[in-house]
Amino acid sequence: MSSILGSPCAGTAEPRLGRLFTGVSDDVEQQATLLRGWNQTYSQMSAGKFAGTVTEIGLGESRIFSEYTGQTLLQSGELPSSLIAIGLPLRMQGPAVFCGMPDHPDALHVFSGRNGFEFFSPTEMVMAGLVVSRDALSELLPGENDDHRMEKFESAHLSRVEPAAAHTMREYIKGVIDILEASPHLLLNGPIMATLYNGLVSNVAALIEASIDAEMAVHSMEPNRRWSIVSKAREAITSRPEQPTSMAELCQILGVSRRTLQYCFQDVLNVNPATFLRAVRLNGVRRTLRTASSVTEAATFWGFWRFGHFAQDYAALFGELPSQTHRRYHSRPRNA
């Protein structure tokens, strides 16, 4: 059983509409078909009745997904070479093996690459992931060592990732799915879907950055060069306040790595670029709340999909919750 809401816009660089798909299965072979385009085969290895679900947000070729499988499986599959797919377990108890490597709950699963992947997954497994086009990701990666970064997708494998980055990605995926399931009308909002698409590709790029342990020679950079990078970053952020800019986009615009940008902001402004970006976006939400029909609309327009964190950050910056701001802007004077 499955259901679809919204319209797919395959092949578009910035999809105008989103697509929500939910599938429930009691058959392991049917489960293997629920993730579109993965060309998968599932074999059940543990005894018992099978149960599985898939929730997928589609944005053209790009997707955000969460899959639950209730039994131990031997999975194999192969994605088109034009797509990059990565995953992080939301729940993984018991031994697992991915492409011959002992698995770990905090490991980044790279499903893409020639010869496909093979995954021995445990019972009660929940895998969340992101799928983007190879071209879109390549365009967004910074100029430094980009060939090395794209080499990561030549074959399926496990990769180490910083725990904080893994946690952020899990929260992002859960937040997007929860919000769009609760407010499916947002799938028909072009600007919000464009923001979601940009955030999706940017988050994949961020995970790649977090999984590469490369030493960057930023400490030897001249002070004027650091100041120039920060100045150009601030200009890029503030020049288009209606278009939220991600860290990955900033790195692509400036042609530097995330680590280089981090060091420059810390050295010049004594603040990290993520904090600066968040402050700019929170101020954008505050302005948008004047005309938005809801807090959800304003927050998602500016790329906030983790509502608990968003409300806390908003209150910390402005001294009131976003719902209080919205009520004040939209309250009507009572009749005398």
Side-chain angles (χ1 to χ4, degrees):
M1 179 175 65
S2 62
S3 61
I4 299 175
L5 179 66
S7 301
C9 298
T12 57
E14 295 185 0
R16 294 182 179 275
L17 301 178
R19 175 183 184 272
L20 171 62
F21 169 83
T22 57
V24 180
S25 173
D26 59 4
D27 180 86
V28 69
E29 293 185 4
Q30 181 190 17
Q31 180 73 21
T33 68
L34 293 182
L35 284 174
R36 296 176 300 126
W38 284 60
N39 192 27
Q40 295 189 113
T41 300
Y42 286 179
S43 297
Q44 182 171 326
M45 308 302 292
S46 59
K49 186 173 177 59
F50 178 81
T53 63
V54 165
T55 302
E56 181 184 85
I57 309 299
L59 297 165
E61 286 188 316
S62 300
R63 298 158 223 161
I64 300 171
F65 71 88
S66 176
E67 180 184 27
Y68 163 78
T69 48
Q71 297 293 341
T72 301
L73 301 179
L74 180 59
Q75 308 178 23
S76 61
E78 184 174 359
L79 284 90
S81 60
S82 60
L83 297 179
I84 300 295
I86 59 175
L88 282 167
L90 297 182
R91 184 197 308 162
M92 189 174 75
Q93 300 174 339
V97 178
F98 187 83
C99 296
M101 305 171 68
D103 210 341
H104 188 275
D106 287 329
L108 178 67
H109 296 61
V110 177
F111 294 97
S112 307
R114 57 180 179 272
N115 303 323
F117 66 88
E118 190 170 82
F119 186 18
F120 184 84
S121 61
T123 60
E124 305 293 325
M125 173 81 179
V126 181
M127 176 66 74
L130 306 172
V131 181
V132 299
S133 78
R134 183 180 290 267
D135 289 343
L137 181 61
S138 180
E139 289 176 3
L140 195 56
L141 287 173
E144 301 174 22
N145 299 323
D146 54 347
D147 290 339
H148 175 61
R149 288 173 170 85
M150 294 309 295
E151 286 176 1
K152 291 178 68 66
F153 303 107
E154 294 306 313
S155 61
H157 66 281
L158 293 176
S159 182
R160 290 182 175 273
V161 67
E162 296 171 2
H167 175 75
T168 297
M169 182 57 59
R170 290 188 182 98
E171 293 296 306
Y172 169 77
I173 293 172
K174 289 190 292 185
V176 170
I177 291 175
D178 288 346
I179 290 171
L180 291 178
E181 285 185 324
S183 304
H185 64 278
L186 296 176
L187 292 158
L188 306 180
N189 186 309
I192 289 177
M193 289 300 100
T195 298
L196 176 59
Y197 172 80
N198 291 334
L200 167 59
V201 181
S202 297
N203 274 297
V204 175
L207 272 181
I208 296 169
E209 288 281 309
S211 67
I212 294 178
D213 186 18
E215 290 296 327
M216 306 304 298
V218 293
H219 293 277
S220 61
M221 187 181 296
E222 291 293 330
N224 285 345
R225 171 62 174 158
R226 301 175 201 162
W227 178 85
S228 176
I229 289 174
V230 171
S231 179
K232 290 178 181 178
R234 292 171 59 190
E235 181 181 352
I237 294 167
T238 57
S239 65
R240 49 175 197 173
E242 76 288 352
Q243 299 181 36
T245 305
S246 68
M247 284 280 288
E249 286 176 305
L250 268 185
C251 292
Q252 190 269 337
I253 291 169
L254 301 172
V256 300
S257 73
R258 178 179 293 259
R259 195 168 297 184
T260 298
L261 189 64
Q262 172 90 14
Y263 177 77
C264 290
F265 261 83
Q266 202 69 51
D267 182 70
V268 175
L269 297 180
N270 197 31
V271 64
N272 65 60
T275 299
F276 185 83
L277 269 172
R278 184 167 58 249
V280 171
R281 291 164 59 211
L282 287 170
N283 277 275
V285 172
R286 193 171 180 85
R287 290 191 300 271
T288 304
L289 284 171
R290 293 181 178 273
T291 57
S293 61
S294 67
V295 173
T296 298
E297 180 182 313
T300 53
F301 179 80
W302 284 92
F304 289 101
W305 295 93
R306 302 160 63 198
F307 266 26
H309 293 277
F310 157 68
Q312 292 175 8
D313 290 344
Y314 187 98
L317 185 61
F318 298 117
E320 64 178 6
L321 291 170
S323 57
Q324 294 173 306
T325 305
H326 188 262
R327 280 198 299 269
R328 188 174 67 257
Y329 286 155
H330 294 268
S331 62
R332 297 178 180 177
R334 295 180 180 179
N335 294 329

